[in-house]
Amino acid sequence: MNTADLGLPVEVPSTALFTDQYELTMLQAALRAGTAGRRSVFEVFTRRLPHGRRYGVVAGTGRVLDAVENFRFDADVIGFLRERGVVDEPTLRWLADYRFSGDVWGYPEGEVYFPGSPILRVEGSFAECVLLETVILSILNHDSAIAAAASRMSAAAGDRPLIEMGARRTHELAAVAASRAAYIGGFTSTSDLAAGFRYGIPTVGTSAHAFTLLHDHERDAFRAQVDSMGRGTTLLVDTYDVAEAVRTAVEVAGPELGAVRIDSGDLLLVAHRVRQQLDELGATGTRILVTSDLDEYAIASLAAAPVDAYGVGTQLVTGSGHPTASMVYKLVARAESADAGAPLVPVAKRSTGGKTSVGGRKWAARRLDADGVAEAEVIGTGPVPADLADRQLLVQLVKGGDVVAREPLEVVRDRHAEARANLPLSAMQLSRGEPVIPTEYVHTRPGSQSGA
């Protein structure tokens, strides 16, 4: 069982400065005005999916929980803020004692989402909640974008495994997060050792063109690799002439050769030729791995090719054209006063230009048809209708400042596979289209079952 998400095997520094300065200046003003202690509800949602996408994927929740736990203003951080004059001394004293003590609810990681879905709900005083905006959004926007791309790629790949190999195409820390998100979305392994160390993701890797070029002859390179790693290794066969390399690879490793990797050329044509050649040489069990700037469309185009696995880099770690999920963090309700029992009042942005929001503390449920297939994302305020009571999506993640819902990454991965399988079949289409199910907003009056 993967238990990496139950506690990182590395020291995590303070995340307190993963924030925008205006969050601290808002805090200072609210403290001075006496409004900082008002109970508040913030929600994370997106107004629309990236153009052409049919569903989104919630990813990064486990990393958010780590970030919230480590959101601490230690002496060095306080010293930096004081030196820069970011906020005044009363605010610095407040920050020095900061510990998030509120509640967080959210879609469980790996679940799918749609426009308006309250993906995360953060509740507590205005002061403690407003500080978390940037760190929460930076994690969820990045990881959810990568997971959505990974999900589309894994749907296109079917039963064929996918290897994440994009570490050289993005920031070194983003690469680790991308590996985690890709694994949630359906990838089976990564080439990034940091991701394997931190999250327990299976790691793979053999050799690059440089290893072949190091040797005087391709045969020498293959022999060195087989002697070191065994006949089950994967040999890279497109440094020079592919046909000659395949012949040499089988001569060196024998028919027990594990796999060959093709990294250039017309992959569809070359894969057919290589498969035929391998079979003629008796290497019928040797697999074919293809790489070279693949995305979900290229993977789908190779569905009929004799390919056994795909390696994906650049397009994955950049979200296959959509590097952010465009999520926002908005105040949707706040108390009338700082009194503990003061009622919540819905609030919402009303400006024009497509940036309006819906006020009120929300619940979410997914309505299914008679066959158990999702047919609508229902978002509401007030009590949850009885017919949706057992279809609620939000679960509690943090209670009174304590994380209560850490999960092994394998559980998250399995959840996504199940959630995707419960969507209409059209969700798997790569052609441009609207969200695969509509979002419906309802407001119910008190009297029926209460929401989470």
Side-chain angles (χ1 to χ4, degrees), residues 70-365:
N70 289 282
F71 205 89
R72 303 283 188 269
F73 293 83
D74 57 27
D76 289 341
V77 172
I78 293 295
F80 166 77
L81 296 175
R82 178 179 289 114
E83 178 185 348
R84 294 293 181 92
V86 174
V87 289
D88 60 19
E89 285 299 323
T91 305
L92 290 175
R93 288 194 294 272
W94 189 94
L95 290 173
D97 295 327
Y98 180 87
R99 300 290 185 274
F100 180 74
S101 63
D103 299 330
V104 179
W105 293 73
Y107 279 39
E109 191 167 18
E111 183 58 85
V112 296
Y113 69 87
F114 300 92
S117 298
I119 296 161
L120 203 72
R121 192 175 72 213
V122 182
E123 304 184 29
S125 69
F126 175 84
E128 62 182 340
C129 294
V130 74
L131 296 180
L132 299 177
E133 175 182 1
T134 297
V135 69
I136 287 175
L137 287 180
S138 66
I139 293 172
L140 293 181
N141 268 316
H142 174 269
D143 290 22
S144 296
I146 305 305
S151 180
R152 285 162 61 86
M153 292 175 187
S154 66
D159 294 331
R160 298 172 178 177
L162 290 158
I163 304 168
E164 185 281 311
M165 43 198 312
R168 289 167 291 175
R169 299 294 185 262
T170 189
H171 185 279
E172 68 272 17
L173 298 182
V176 181
S179 294
R180 182 183 184 278
Y183 193 66
I184 292 171
F187 276 58
T188 55
S189 57
T190 179
S191 65
D192 192 323
L193 289 177
F197 173 69
R198 182 169 294 192
Y199 298 118
I201 301 169
T203 58
V204 296
T206 51
S207 66
H209 294 290
F211 186 76
T212 300
L213 295 170
L214 169 69
H215 294 80
D216 295 334
H217 302 285
E218 192 170 47
R219 180 182 296 272
D220 296 337
F222 288 174
R223 170 57 63 193
Q225 185 173 327
V226 170
D227 288 347
S228 174
M229 301 179 185
R231 297 177 185 272
T233 191
T234 299
L235 295 176
L236 181 59
V237 296
D238 71 326
T239 305
Y240 305 117
D241 180 80
V242 173
E244 180 62 28
V246 170
R247 183 179 304 107
T248 302
V250 176
E251 289 176 357
V252 170
E256 299 84 13
L257 175 62
V260 295
R261 177 162 75 95
I262 307 167
D263 189 47
S264 60
D266 183 335
L267 296 179
L268 178 61
L269 175 63
V270 175
H272 277 287
R273 288 178 175 174
V274 169
R275 181 73 271 159
Q276 180 179 353
Q277 186 179 10
L278 287 170
D279 292 346
E280 291 172 350
L281 294 170
T284 56
T286 299
R287 297 173 296 112
I288 297 175
L289 165 67
V290 295
T291 54
S292 186
D293 290 329
L294 298 177
D295 62 9
E296 60 265 48
Y297 301 100
I299 291 169
S301 73
L302 293 168
V307 171
D308 298 286
Y310 306 94
V312 188
T314 302
Q315 292 301 319
L316 174 70
V317 298
T318 57
S320 194
H322 297 289
T324 178
S326 298
M327 295 177 187
V328 294
Y329 182 93
K330 297 297 181 183
L331 181 66
V332 296
R334 51 87 176 165
E336 292 181 340
S337 71
D339 294 340
L344 287 174
V345 178
V347 295
K349 183 177 180 179
R350 299 299 184 192
S351 63
T352 58
K355 287 193 172 183
T356 58
S357 56
V358 178
R361 181 179 184 270
K362 300 174 196 66
W363 49 263

Side-chain angles (χ1 to χ4, degrees), residues 365-408:
R366 189 162 299 144
R367 192 170 64 238
L368 308 180
D369 65 16
D371 296 319
V373 178
E375 64 177 12
E377 192 86 340
V378 186
I379 313 299
T381 57
V384 180
D387 62 325
L388 294 175
D390 62 349
R391 299 301 310 165
Q392 294 186 71
L393 292 165
L394 276 73
V395 298
Q396 189 154 27
L397 304 172
V398 177
K399 183 176 182 179
D402 296 325
V403 174
V404 296
R406 275 203 174 88
E407 300 177 298

